[in-house]
Amino acid sequence: MPVDPLTIEYFAVDRLPEIRSVILDVYAEVYAQDIATDPFFSLERFEERLEGHTSAPGWGCVIARTSGEHAGFTYGFTARDGTTFILCENMLRTGHRGRGISQVMHDELMSHRSEDQAQLLVRRTRPRLRALYERWGYRHAGEKLPFPDSPLYDVMVLDLRQGSGRPGQATSERNAP
């Protein structure tokens, strides 16, 4: 069976205008059910959060393409403490899941980071996703309600210091578009 090549690319905040519509389109597709049932996940609220995230220092994003379409993205920013990278989103369109693309995007994004640790939030109602991040080396570090109307999340952290299991370069081929 032929395998479609995977292309991933890193973007800093200065290139946000090039990719904003990709981020919004993928979000709208991945969160369609939540958007229909919970105002917290509405596209408008996501755009507000995206605006806040992109105004923070150190914002970076990786976008994956395969089969001629955008498969997904991952992005985050440097926390105020300067030692933590906040991974805000890591999402794939349904047809691209289960192929390791999410981890490739994650590892590429982490390869651009100089912080000591990464932190992400996983909805408490998604234990399989939490288990996936644990396989990647994240550990549970508590709970958080980031907004008054948001769901409760598990806080997960990953040590990024050299020699501590920092994600390496992903093994997939990287092509510049």
Side-chain angles (χ1 to χ4, degrees):
M1 177 169 105
V3 176
D4 293 321
L6 174 66
T7 303
I8 58 173
E9 185 174 3
Y10 178 82
F11 297 86
V13 73
D14 61 318
R15 294 183 62 198
L16 179 62
E18 294 174 47
I19 61 170
R20 185 180 186 85
S21 65
V22 172
I23 292 171
L24 295 176
D25 289 348
V26 171
Y27 178 88
E29 182 178 320
V30 170
Y31 279 88
Q33 184 176 1
D34 290 318
I35 289 169
T37 61
D38 186 340
F40 176 77
F41 293 104
S42 72
L43 195 54
E44 294 78 20
R45 289 289 303 279
F46 176 71
E47 287 184 271
E48 290 171 9
R49 291 189 297 274
L50 177 62
E51 187 67 30
H53 298 155
T54 59
S55 66
W59 187 86
C61 178
V62 169
I63 292 182
R65 288 182 55 89
T66 187
S67 305
E69 71 174 2
H70 294 103
F73 68 87
T74 187
Y75 79 74
F77 61 89
T78 305
R80 288 187 194 117
D81 70 5
T83 66
T84 303
F85 180 71
I86 305 296
L87 181 60
C88 301
E89 301 291 348
N90 187 12
M91 65 180 69
L92 280 174
R93 288 184 157 133
T94 304
H96 300 287
R97 294 180 186 162
R99 298 168 43 195
I101 296 171
S102 184
Q103 188 170 10
V104 170
M105 292 188 312
H106 171 274
D107 289 355
E108 176 64 17
L109 184 59
M110 293 305 121
S111 77
H112 291 266
R113 307 316 310 169
S114 60
E115 295 87 357
D116 293 337
Q117 68 176 1
Q119 176 184 304
L120 59 80
L121 302 178
V122 178
R123 258 194 275 183
R124 299 295 310 271
T125 58
R126 302 231 167 125
R128 288 178 48 200
L129 186 55
R130 178 179 161 176
L132 174 73
Y133 288 125
E134 288 172 340
R135 286 193 301 275
W136 294 1
Y138 282 85
R139 62 180 170 75
H140 184 257
E143 298 174 342
K144 185 172 186 176
L145 187 68
F147 298 94
D149 63 339
S150 73
L152 182 62
Y153 289 86
D154 285 325
V155 178
M156 308 288 293
V157 294
L158 175 69
D159 193 350
L160 295 177
R161 293 177 297 220
Q162 292 295 342
S164 63
R166 180 184 193 108
Q169 292 292 322
T171 57
S172 294
E173 181 179 285
R174 289 182 174 77
N175 299 318

